[in-house]
Every structure is written in C-alpha cells, then in structure tokens.
Amino acid sequence: MQIQNYAEALAFIHGRRKFTKSPDLARMRKFAHYLGDPQQKVKFIHVTGTNGKGSTVAYLSNLLQSQGFTVGTFTSPFITRFNERIAINGIPIADEKLVELVQKIKPVVERLDAEYAGEGPKEFEVVTMLMFLYFAEIVPDYAVVEVGIGGTYDSTNILTPVLSVITEVALDHTQILGDTLAQIAQVKAGIIKAKRPVVVGALDAESLQVITQVANEKEAKLYTTPSDYSWSLAKTQDFWGQIFTYNGFGKSYRKLKIKLLGDYQVANASLALSAFLCLAQLEKFTPRESEIRKALITTSWPARFELINEEPLVVLDGAHNLDAVKKLAQILKTRFSERQIYVVMSVLADKRAPEMFACLQALPNVTLSAVEFDAPRAVADFEFLQGDGAIKYYSDWREVLPIVLREMSADDMLLFTGSLYFVSEVRNYFV
C-alpha cells in the first residue's frame, strides 16, 4: 500500500519493531547500500553518552550556526512533534518531505523484511535512514547526530564522523548495554573511528580507562578534561542561568553565560565548546568570540529544567534515570533550598525507580507524588511505595495538578520530572 499522507507515514514508522537489540550493523549497512549510502555524503559529528547528549547537541549546533554554517541535527526523543528529531538549523523536517522519504524507503524496508524473514529494519533504523537521506539531499555543512542507545551497534554507527563526542558514562539501559561502567563505556566507545578525534566530558576513572584504550587502538586523538580543557563557575550567578570561565584549545573565555541550570549544563556547554574549537582547528575556520557568547546564551533545550511559569514557579525536567535525578537533586539543594518543592514524577519500568524516588525524598523541602501516564513502554508499578505515606500515588498525573496548586504558596515550586515521555506529555499540556 502506498503511503499517501503524514499520518500514514508516521503509522508506517511507528509500526516497525521497537526496542530490540541488533547483534551487528550488517542489516543497517545493507539498508543504506540499497539507498545509495547517503551516510557517506555529509560531514558528521557523532555524539553519545548516558545523559547530556541532547543539550550538548543543542549547544554545538548553535555554536556552528553562529559561524554561518548550515547544521543538521538528529535527536531523540521528540518533545512536541516527531519531526523535531530531524532538523536543519533548528527547523524540523517538513511533513511533505517526511512523506516523500517514507515513500522512498518503504519498498527497501519490504525487501529487507523478505531477505531477513520478517526481521527487517526496526523503528529506530527507519528513522535513522530518513535522517541520512534528508541530510544527503540538503547537504548541510555539518550534521550533529545523537546516538539512540549505546554506540557500537546503534543504527547511527554506520557513519564515519569528522569528530566524535562522548558526554558521560553512567548506569542506564543495563539490560542492553551491560551492568558495569566499564561494559557501558566499551559500548559508548564504539563510535570512536580510526584517526578521527574524540572529545569527552568528565568521566569516572574506570570509563576513561576503557575509552582511552579504544582511542589508542584506533589512533584517535583523545581530548579530556581537565587535561585539554576546563571550566569553573563564577562566584556570582544569575537567578535563572549560569556564568562560568572556560579554558581550552588555546582559548580563554571569561564570564560566559548559559540559561540552562545545573553544573552539569555548564559541563555540557564546555564539552560542546571544546568539540567546536577542536573542529575549528581540524577544519581550519576561525571562531568569533562574540558569536560564541551569543550562541551559548541563546541555547535552550526543552524539558531540561525548563521554566514553564514564573508565578507559581512551574518547572519541567526530564531526569529519566538515577544519574540524572542525582543531578536534579543537586540543583534543588543549591538553588532552591528556601522553597517548598512539589515534585510530580513518573518513571519507566526499566529504570531504578525506588532509588530515584528515594534520592528526591531525602530532600527536606520536597513533597513527592508518583503518577501514571500514557507511556509507549511500561511504567514502574510503584509497588515499592506501599506503606510509604509520605509519597502519594495517582493513576493519572492530571489528578494531582489541582490538588498541588491548592496547596502551593506563591513562593513554592511545582516540578514535573522523570521519563522524558512523561515530561513531554505535561509540556504539551502547559505550552
């Protein structure tokens, strides 16, 4: 059946198998080959890591655009509409173009289904191929591509980047990637390519050792912090934003500003800036400091400690795993200790829900509610909450909203957090 419109195109994409692990990239390479190997026609920057990928991509894309480059981005998941995942200079792919590209790949998907006994490309492979085809057609100066899960066998990993970026390594997707930091680091290091530089964020010693070994084996120049670049927070800070100093790659910038909260966002911005400066040396263009400053301060990323309303203060943060929740708790401790904070959280079943809730429950100024939502994957069953009267449970997050709003004072905060799917649903309600 021919794809006729946008709804049918999305139905085709989402109708493919989901969340299954491929043992290798042979099928993905064949998929690309049948379509003319579009992944060979663009300069890519490949980004992986447990957390911080989306923010790092946003900063890096903005930095490149500030110098006049046309930049493609590939991210996941989407917050408002599917098209956001594939964009040029921040403009999502048009509905009509998406339909056209789905029409182009559908016969190839069906061919692979036949060749692989019904086990043809899964959903993320299809979305990845749509991205490759779109960028090969537009040919941006650079395309910044975020890995889906892991690295080695992620469908994006058929590309050969001009530069690789690894944000951080933490325990997440352990059923797929491994249950130790070393195992997960090994998978993340799979995006490192022979003699292509790689810039990494602040890594634990175990992960750094693994990634250094892979980089050495592939003769890939490795740039790390604090050896090759560093950052430090300024003594005085804005209420909603952060000021920091950066040193690296022969540059020193004082009083850089970003509007995303959290020390980890300064780390993400510094990593993106390092990747940008590394690329400038590699590609021999001269960065302009004034444009760098403007790019950083104007970068935003939906659902990452995002201010939705000021009075009362309503914030969204997609802290979807334990590592991210720990970072969120640190923001609440250092920036909002004087406020009563009402936290509404929902977590997917494959995450460490009890530990995530316990991390926030330990804060003395937090009132915590657990909620259900319409998720594409199983939500945590919250059985661990039985007998814990301090955490309230609601079968629908909309139930808790009027209750909390009645209890809140003008100086309190309402924070929705947990799964990005959940935060996306809430954001669509507010925005």
Side-chain angles (χ1 to χ4, degrees):
M1 186 183 77
Q2 181 70 10
I3 301 293
Q4 300 289 342
N5 54 46
Y6 179 73
E8 291 178 1
L10 283 188
F12 174 78
I13 294 166
H14 296 320
R16 302 303 300 176
R17 294 174 303 121
K18 299 176 177 65
F19 308 116
T20 54
K21 182 182 178 183
S22 297
D24 58 47
L25 291 172
R27 184 181 61 207
M28 189 66 189
R29 293 188 191 282
K30 184 179 284 191
F31 191 8
H33 184 66
Y34 287 163
L35 287 161
D37 286 314
Q39 79 282 3
Q40 296 177 1
K41 298 171 183 177
V42 178
K43 288 183 177 181
F44 289 103
I45 300 158
H46 209 185
V47 181
T48 191
T50 306
N51 293 312
K53 295 187 295 294
S55 301
T56 301
V57 168
Y59 282 119
L60 183 50
S61 173
N62 256 18
L63 285 163
L64 288 167
Q65 287 179 63
S66 77
Q67 307 300 303
F69 294 119
T70 301
V71 185
T73 52
F74 181 60
T75 57
S76 60
F78 66 91
I79 300 298
T80 305
R81 284 190 92 225
F82 173 86
N83 305 45
E84 297 165 20
R85 299 179 68 169
I86 305 169
I88 298 287
N89 285 356
I91 301 171
I93 184 171
D95 293 359
E96 298 78 12
K97 176 57 66 175
L98 188 71
V99 172
E100 178 188 317
L101 293 177
V102 171
Q103 290 170 341
K104 183 173 183 177
I105 71 168
K106 184 172 180 284
V108 179
V109 170
E110 291 168 347
R111 176 181 177 180
L112 289 165
D113 278 342
E115 291 183 17
Y116 286 87
E119 296 291 314
K122 56 192 175 182
E123 181 182 19
F124 190 72
E125 290 172 326
V126 169
V127 178
T128 301
M129 192 55 62
L130 290 170
M131 174 269 294
F132 282 142
L133 286 172
Y134 185 52
F135 291 164
E137 184 178 310
I138 302 296
V139 193
D141 295 304
Y142 300 99
V144 189
V145 170
E146 179 186 328
V147 161
I149 294 178
T152 303
Y153 297 124
D154 188 78
S155 61
T156 62
N157 204 32
I158 63 170
L159 64 82
T160 299
V162 293
L163 175 72
S164 298
V165 179
I166 302 176
T167 61
E168 66 162 29
V169 176
L171 295 175
D172 195 20
H173 299 294
T174 52
Q175 74 281 10
I176 297 174
L177 304 181
D179 53 15
T180 69
L181 290 174
Q183 289 173 329
I184 294 173
Q186 191 73 46
V187 177
K188 305 287 186 192
I191 73 164
I192 299 173
K193 301 297 192 297
K195 298 183 179 179
R196 302 300 169 101
V198 54
V199 185
V200 301
L203 300 172
D204 63 278
E206 189 178 358
S207 299
L208 181 59
Q209 182 179 1
V210 170
I211 287 167
T212 299
Q213 181 178 339
V214 173
N216 289 340
E217 289 170 357
K218 296 189 176 180
E219 298 179 48
K221 174 63 177 172
L222 180 65
Y223 297 94
T224 65
T225 181
S227 299
D228 298 292
Y229 72 95
S230 61
W231 58 269
S232 60
L233 284 172
K235 291 181 180 178
T236 57
Q237 295 290 326
D238 293 341
F239 167 67
W240 205 275
Q242 294 180 113
I243 305 168
F244 66 102
T245 294
Y246 171 90
N247 291 285
F249 295 87
K251 304 289 184 180
S252 181
Y253 303 119
R254 297 184 67 242
K255 295 185 178 179
L256 293 173
K257 294 183 179 183
I258 60 172
K259 60 184 178 184
L260 297 178
L261 283 187
D263 290 3
Y264 63 93
Q265 289 295 4
V266 178
N268 292 339
S270 298
L271 174 59
L273 180 53
S274 299
F276 169 76
L277 294 173
C278 180
L279 189 69
Q281 292 181 358
L282 196 68
E283 297 280 278
K284 296 179 171 51
F285 63 83
T286 304
R288 300 186 297 274
E289 181 176 340
S290 61
E291 300 302 330
I292 286 172
R293 291 182 178 278
K294 189 184 301 181
L296 292 176
I297 191 61
T298 57
T299 297
S300 60
W301 191 236
R304 272 63 171 192
F305 215 84
E306 181 183 13
L307 179 63
I308 294 297
N309 195 71
E310 291 191 18
E311 290 187 9
L313 190 61
V314 180
V315 175
L316 306 178
D317 189 71
H320 61 286
N321 55 36
L322 181 58
D323 185 63
V325 167
K326 287 178 179 178
K327 290 180 170 70
L328 171 61
Q330 188 61 31
I331 295 178
L332 299 181
K333 279 182 191 175
T334 56
R335 290 289 190 119
F336 301 98
S337 60
E338 302 301 314
R339 293 176 183 260
Q340 182 64 32
I341 304 169
Y342 293 83
V343 178
V344 180
M345 184 156 75
S346 193
V347 178
L348 294 179
D350 60 350
K351 306 297 180 180
R352 297 157 69 181
E355 293 166 88
M356 293 168 72
F357 274 85
C359 181
L360 293 178
Q361 193 178 11
L363 299 176
N365 58 327
V366 163
T367 300
L368 198 52
S369 297
V371 296
E372 300 276 357
F373 76 105
D374 185 17
R377 289 151 59 190
V379 175
D381 58 21
F382 299 126
E383 286 184 6
F384 61 90
L385 296 179
Q386 289 182 359
D388 189 341
I391 301 178
K392 299 172 184 176
Y393 166 78
Y394 299 87
S395 59
D396 188 317
W397 70 266
R398 294 169 190 80
E399 293 177 35
V400 73
L401 185 58
I403 296 170
V404 170
L405 289 175
R406 282 196 300 270
E407 292 181 10
M408 287 177 67
S409 73
D411 294 327
D412 296 341
M413 175 196 293
L414 172 57
L415 171 64
F416 292 92
T417 190
S419 164
L420 275 166
Y421 295 107
F422 166 60
V423 174
S424 172
E425 185 175 309
V426 176
R427 190 177 192 274
N428 290 337
Y429 175 87
F430 278 100
V431 177

